[in-house]
C-alpha cells in the first residue's frame, strides 16, 4: 500500500488545522496560499517538461548509453521524460502494470524501462553489435 495516498492529505489537513489554531483565519489563508504555490510550482514543472517533450519524436533519446548511466531505481516517469526530453515509446497496453517504455538513439541502441506503480523498477540497455557479428550486446540494471 502506498502511504503517500494517506500521509499527504493528512499532512495538508494537519497544516491547515495548525494554521487555524496558531493564527486563526489568517493562518488558514497563509497555509492555503503556500499549498497553492507548491501545487503551481509542480504544475509549471510538468508543463515545461511536456513542452520540451512535444518538440522531439516519441521514443527518441540523444544517447541511450548516457540515459542508462543516469537512470536510478525509484524515479517516476516524469523524471525520466525530463531527462530524455521525449516521451517514451509505449510497449505495454494502456493501464497495464508494469508499464514498459523504450527510448532509442541514432545508433539503434535502446533503453527499455519498466515502471511499477509509477516508479522505475528496472531497465535494460541493448546495443547493436558491429557489422559482421551475431547477436546483440545487452546490459541490464535493476534493484538488488
Amino acid at each position: 500500500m502506498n502511504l503517500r495516498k494517506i500521509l499527504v492529505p493528512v499532512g495538508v489537513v494537519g497544516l491547515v488545522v495548525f494554521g487555524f489554531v496558531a493564527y486563526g483565519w489568517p493562518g488558514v489563508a497563509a497555509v492555503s496560499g503556500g499549498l497553492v504555490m507548491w501545487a503551481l510550482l509542480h504544475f509549471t514543472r510538468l508543463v515545461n517538461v511536456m513542452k520540451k517533450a512535444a518538440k522531439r519524436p516519441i521514443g527518441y533519446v540523444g544517447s541511450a548509453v548516457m540515459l542508462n548511466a543516469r537512470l536510478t531505481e525509484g524515479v517516476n516517469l516524469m523524471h525520466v521524460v525530463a531527462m530524455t526530453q521525449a516521451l517514451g515509446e509505449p510497449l505495454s497496453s494502456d493501464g497495464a502494470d508494469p508499464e514498459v517504455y523504450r527510448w532509442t538513439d541514432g545508433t539503434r541502441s535502446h533503453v527499455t524501462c519498466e515502471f511499477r506503480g509509477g516508479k522505475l523498477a528496472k531497465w535494460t540497455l541493448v546495443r547493436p553489435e558491429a557489422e559482421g557479428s551475431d547477436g546483440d550486446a545487452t546490459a541490464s540494471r535493476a534493484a538488488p
Side-chain angles (χ1 to χ4, degrees), residues 2-3 35 42 51 54 62 98 102 116 118 123 127 135:
N2 191 355
L3 288 178
L35 291 171
H42 283 280
K51 197 181 294 185
R102 176 177 289 163
R116 294 181 192 268
W123 62 95
R127 299 177 73 184

Side-chain angles (χ1 to χ4, degrees), residues 1-95:
M1 184 170 157
N2 191 355
L3 288 178
R4 280 191 192 174
K5 292 182 180 180
I6 297 170
L7 294 179
V8 170
V10 168
V12 168
V13 170
L15 282 172
V16 171
V17 168
F18 171 76
F20 181 75
V21 169
Y23 299 104
W25 290 110
V28 171
V31 168
S32 298
L35 291 171
V36 167
M37 179 63 82
W38 176 78
L40 287 173
L41 286 171
H42 283 280
F43 180 75
T44 302
R45 179 170 185 249
L46 176 67
V47 168
N48 285 333
V49 166
M50 289 298 135
K51 197 181 294 185
K52 288 178 184 176
K55 296 177 182 176
R56 300 206 41 198
I58 291 177
Y60 177 78
V61 66
S63 173
V65 175
M66 290 304 294
L67 174 62
N68 181 57
R70 292 177 59 197
L71 288 174
T72 57
E73 181 198 359
V75 298
N76 59 19
L77 179 59
M78 188 180 86
H79 185 80
V80 176
V81 170
M83 281 195 299
T84 62
Q85 296 183 352
L87 296 174
E89 174 190 353
L91 300 179
S92 59
S93 61
D94 290 341

Side-chain angles (χ1 to χ4, degrees), residues 83-124:
M83 281 195 299
T84 62
Q85 296 183 352
L87 296 174
E89 174 190 353
L91 300 179
S92 59
S93 61
D94 290 341
D97 195 35
E99 296 177 292
V100 181
Y101 294 95
R102 176 177 289 163
W103 285 269
T104 307
D105 65 9
T107 64
R108 294 185 10 226
S109 298
H110 59 82
V111 176
T112 304
C113 298
E114 183 177 306
F115 294 87
R116 294 181 192 268
K119 302 289 184 181
L120 183 61
K122 65 180 184 176
W123 62 95
T124 305

